[in-house]
Amino acid sequence: MMKNFQEEIGKFNLERGWNKDSRFIKDFLLNLCEEATEAWTVIKWIDEEKQKEVIKEHVDKFEDFVGDSLYLIFKIAWLLDIDSEQALKNTLEEYEKRFPADKMKEVKHGNPLAGGIDNK
Ligand SMILES: [Mg+2]
């Protein structure tokens, strides 16, 4: 399924004459940061309790963040010939090792294993 999105985004780009040129990777990475910043701007400096309310009021901006960020991630994967599905599987496997469910459940707030059992 992820591969389909990656291919669709590649097709979308080629149809517009945006060739498979990885020279602009740094710009797409900055775009990704920009998307996160847009979402952050909605809740910056707002205390935790109020954040829930504000996010509810502006859920469209977070939806936009998710969509735009996924677009950029699939585009970067397409440009670099990275199999996005395999990349996510690799990450999940790594997280499974670093954040074992039985150990993570034992830990409460102020989690000393927040960086994972390998403390990365
Ligand atoms: Mg956006």
Side-chain angles (χ1 to χ4, degrees), residues 3-97:
K3 211 167 187 142
N4 294 345
F5 281 117
Q6 189 171 323
E7 282 168 7
E8 191 177 323
I9 285 166
K11 188 172 168 270
F12 175 89
N13 279 265
L14 291 173
E15 285 169 352
R16 282 153 186 81
W18 302 334
N19 294 327
K20 201 168 182 175
D21 183 342
S22 60
R23 277 181 303 167
F24 303 109
I25 288 299
K26 66 174 175 46
D27 300 304
F28 297 125
L29 292 171
L30 286 172
N31 277 165
L32 206 47
C33 295
E34 187 182 20
E35 295 303 334
T37 302
E38 282 175 12
W40 172 73
T41 302
V42 176
I43 54 169
K44 69 178 177 183
W45 317 134
I46 297 175
D47 67 68
E48 211 170 308
E49 272 311 303
K50 183 87 175 149
Q51 274 184 36
K52 289 176 191 166
E53 264 177 60
V54 174
I55 289 170
K56 241 183 188 172
E57 283 168 29
H58 299 280
V59 72
D60 57 319
K61 291 191 174 150
F62 288 88
E63 191 178 292
D64 185 67
F65 159 71
V66 170
D68 291 352
S69 299
L70 285 172
Y71 170 83
L72 285 164
I73 286 171
F74 284 125
K75 179 164 176 158
I76 290 167
W78 172 69
L79 283 170
L80 299 179
D81 290 321
I82 289 169
D83 179 339
S84 51
E85 201 165 313
Q86 188 57 52
L88 181 58
K89 281 180 189 168
N90 294 345
T91 295
L92 290 174
E93 270 176 36
E94 184 196 326
Y95 282 11
E96 200 58 51
K97 287 179 198 146

